[in-house]
Amino acid sequence: MRLSGRFGRFGGAYVPEILMPALEQLEAAFLDTKEDHAFQKELGELLTHYAGRPTPLYRCRNLLDAGEAEIWLKREDLLHGGAHKTNQALGQGLLAKRMGKRRLIAETGAGQHGVATALTGAVLGLKTRVYMGAVDMARQEQNVFRMRLMGAEVVPVTTGSQTLKDAINEALRDWSASYETTHYLLGTVAGPHPFPTMVRDFQRIIGDEARAQLLEARGTLPNLVVASVGGGSNAIGIFTAFIPDPEVRLLGVEAGGDGLETGRHGATLNRGRPGVLHGAYSFVMQDEEGQIVESHSISAGLDYPGVGPEHSFLRESGRAAYTTCTDDEALDAFGLLARREGIIPALESSHALAAALVEARKAAGPLTILVNLSGRGDKDLGTVLQRMGSPEGAS
Amino acid sequence: MSRYARLFERLAAKREAAFIPFVMVGDPDPAGSLAVIRTLALAGADALELGLPFSDPVADGPVIQAAATRALDAGVTRRQCWEIIAAVRAEFPDLPVGLLVYANLVCHREPAAFYADAARAGVDSVLVADLPVLEAGPVAAAARAHGVAPVFIAPPNADADRLRAIAEAGEGYTYVTSREGVTGADSMLRRDQSALIAQLVEFGAPPPVLGFGISTPDQVRAARAMGAAGVISGSAVVRLAAEGGDLAGFVREMKEATY
């Protein structure tokens, strides 16, 4: 490896020895393409003409009742595929081709990363297989259909909790037999080095754009940047550009589920301990003996007992803070954005929005908040309908 | 001299290879697990390879995953695992006992604490399935500080530099995987690993033992012909134990193929 793959004491590459050559090959391809004009040009063209970048930055008109706070939304929900996942799936897909791989494998929880991988496979001509927990397949039926429409094979995972973490296990097992022809297109800033660094670099376009857009529109940096954190790719994506700006507060929002006190949540950084899951040393939700415990969230994308190692580092160094919001608080924010702004956010992004609303309401004076609206809520309509019933009559 | 060194010296003098069965500690429950392990040892296993149950075993196929799940579902605790191993150690004082674990079981607290427990239970070696040599430094040092041999995997895609690093870092034995992928029984060996084994020997690695997919006496003979100092059979043993099959007969049959 050419880089350390560490963020302070977090990160590393904890994988079976057989995967090390594949990770080294990936790191080399990734580093080589950073300065490769042709590669960057092709990725840039795909992001612009296929995926729809840059995404808009929108200042909410009606969301807040009073006060001097402003909430600005980075509209990743408008990206092709419906979420920020497309940014880095295209980047990794191009890397896979450059390495001569003919096949992509991926894990997915809510299905958003699976959809991003499926569209990448379709547009780049790579055979695609997506591992998905059987429980997740049942609750995200439409995304399963979307992936299959775009030619991906979706394989149900029936081991363990049958959710995202088990899908990652199964993808790693596949890769340990198929690495010669196959690229594992991991969906977040977790996993072994170089994934956390590589996925961050492909996702930082979110924050780079938003920073420039806000400076252009408002002439200032935000006071606060808020994003939801499951594995943590949309948060790293919007945080990275602001890390060198000490006056900008960074706030990650984890899944509070039914409430931290119930134990049914996905608040890895708030309630976990350091350990090794899926190839990295980072915060992990685990029991006394080091067994990984199951997470819970109404948002499948935040329903993960691990977190990217750079978030563990940002938390420990104090550069970013991490809070939580419950399923109910996220649902309230979901409904409010729909009614007041005509935007239906993903339940993941609704967590960020809920925390932003808390900050805005307690602000004594002017406060500029930038929220990563990481995805759209179409995929969540079934979940919300089941939970809230029909919105008619709701205030 | 370590138990592994004595074992491999004794076998080499007789021109025999080691037969090493693997089972999951605590599968299906503590009493049943101890009975299975005693059966394997009494039937003539040269050493034991024991898994500690982990919730997310990424290097294992369905059979060994299911064994870990059975143990965890039965509520088997780490303390009970150490007690089972200590009982095996007390009854078979000369038998090398290796552990196969995952990194989080070692790294969720100070690695030294894990190795202190392992040493106290009488463990001779620990292989951490998701700890490549590149990451192993501090963990291997903690193992050695407690007199536990760090074992490493030599996979079929390792080049000379990687094999040299594996040879230098490992103690006890070297786990040579017969193929890519995860654990699981095969009907035949798909790859000739003799070149890789010869290279390990040239680099002064601890004795190379072939594992992954081994379930028949013919495979044992083929492994010997490749120059392996022993074989590990996991999924086949675990499945037989779960089905209540003739474990002692299987061990004797496999051991006979090592002569």
Side-chain angles (χ1 to χ4, degrees), chain A residues 136-157:
Chain A
D136 287 337
M137 280 180 76
R139 60 182 175 182
Q140 298 287 346
E141 222 178 352
Q142 292 212 350
N143 268 344
V144 174
F145 187 53
R146 277 191 188 97
M147 289 183 261
R148 287 178 172 157
L149 279 174
M150 293 187 281
E153 178 193 6
V154 183
V155 176
V157 176

Side-chain angles (χ1 to χ4, degrees), chain B residues 84-237:
Chain B
I84 291 166
I85 295 164
V88 173
R89 168 53 64 230
E91 186 173 351
F92 306 98
D94 298 324
L95 193 67
V97 173
L99 280 191
L100 204 155
V101 304
Y102 283 87
N104 197 48
L105 300 182
V106 179
C107 298
H108 78 103
R109 48 181 187 152
E110 280 303 309
F114 176 85
Y115 286 103
D117 287 345
R120 201 174 302 122
V123 166
D124 296 290
S125 72
V126 174
L127 194 174
V128 185
D130 51 349
L131 189 70
V133 169
L134 184 71
E135 292 288 356
V139 173
R144 282 190 292 267
H146 288 87
V148 175
V151 171
F152 290 95
I153 283 184
N157 60 351
D159 61 14
D161 285 346
R162 197 176 307 276
L163 289 178
R164 195 176 285 116
I166 289 163
E168 281 168 14
E171 287 178 27
Y173 71 95
T174 308
Y175 194 127
V176 179
T177 48
S178 68
R179 55 165 169 73
E180 312 80 359
V182 295
T183 60
D186 303 333
S187 54
M188 57 182 289
L189 293 179
R190 288 182 232 160
R191 277 174 177 264
D192 180 3
Q193 296 289 61
S194 39
L196 185 146
I197 287 171
Q199 230 176 346
L200 282 171
V201 171
E202 183 197 326
F203 294 147
V209 172
L210 198 70
F212 276 35
I214 292 180
S215 63
T216 71
D218 278 349
Q219 290 171 312
V220 177
R221 283 185 278 270
R224 276 198 68 197
M226 293 178 200
V231 294
I232 295 176
S233 177
S235 294
V237 178

Side-chain angles (χ1 to χ4, degrees), chain A residues 1 6 12-18 20-21 24 159 165 169 173 176-177 179 273 275-276 286 288-292, chain B residues 53-58 60 65 72 77-78 104-105 108 129-135 155 157 162 180-182:
Chain A
M1 295 283 187
R6 291 274 168 179
Y14 296 82
V15 294
E17 193 75 55
I18 194 163
M20 290 303 284
E24 286 166 5
T159 51
K165 90 175 166 73
N169 292 341
R173 290 178 187 124
S176 69
Y179 53 85
R273 293 185 290 123
V276 175
Q286 53 186 322
E288 292 282 292
E289 300 195 338
Q291 306 295 348
I292 310 306
Chain B
F54 180 53
S55 52
D56 294 80
V58 295
D60 283 304
Q65 286 176 46
L72 293 173
T77 63
R78 186 65 34 75
N104 197 48
L105 300 182
H108 78 103
D130 51 349
L131 189 70
V133 169
L134 184 71
E135 292 288 356
N157 60 351
R162 197 176 307 276
E180 312 80 359
V182 295

Side-chain angles (χ1 to χ4, degrees), chain A residues 109-303:
Chain A
Q112 285 308 110
H113 176 58
V115 166
T117 305
L119 67 85
T120 296
V123 73
L124 297 181
L126 294 162
K127 205 174 160 205
T128 302
R129 169 184 280 189
V130 178
Y131 289 99
M132 189 169 185
V135 168
D136 287 337
M137 280 180 76
R139 60 182 175 182
Q140 298 287 346
E141 222 178 352
Q142 292 212 350
N143 268 344
V144 174
F145 187 53
R146 277 191 188 97
M147 289 183 261
R148 287 178 172 157
L149 279 174
M150 293 187 281
E153 178 193 6
V154 183
V155 176
V157 176
T158 55
T159 51
S161 57
Q162 308 190 20
T163 60
L164 177 57
K165 90 175 166 73
D166 309 285
I168 297 177
N169 292 341
E170 213 49 43
L172 284 168
R173 290 178 187 124
D174 180 317
W175 205 30
S176 69
S178 63
Y179 53 85
E180 274 187 25
T181 59
T182 299
H183 174 62
Y184 178 16
L185 207 163
L186 186 72
T188 187
V189 288
H193 176 68
F195 286 105
T197 300
M198 179 179 66
V199 175
R200 174 198 67 200
D201 286 6
F202 285 134
Q203 289 291 8
R204 67 166 296 159
I205 193 167
I206 303 170
D208 287 339
E209 279 180 12
R211 192 175 183 282
Q213 287 168 318
L214 194 66
L215 281 172
E216 164 94 27
R218 199 180 184 287
T220 70
L221 291 176
N223 303 110
L224 175 65
V225 179
V226 188
S228 64
V229 178
S233 70
N234 91 76
I236 285 289
I238 200 160
F239 285 176
T240 300
F242 297 98
I243 287 176
D245 302 316
E247 68 274 30
V248 179
R249 280 171 59 210
L250 306 176
L251 181 64
V253 188
E254 294 193 305
D258 291 345
L260 295 187
E261 69 288 353
T262 66
R264 286 171 52 77
H265 57 75
T268 308
L269 288 163
N270 281 279
R271 282 291 182 273
R273 293 185 290 123
V276 175
L277 177 64
H278 297 142
Y281 184 71
S282 189
F283 275 73
V284 178
M285 286 173 58
Q286 53 186 322
D287 70 13
E288 292 282 292
E289 300 195 338
Q291 306 295 348
I292 310 306
V293 300
E294 286 177 24
S295 52
H296 166 82
S297 174
I298 190 168
S299 147
L302 305 184
D303 195 351

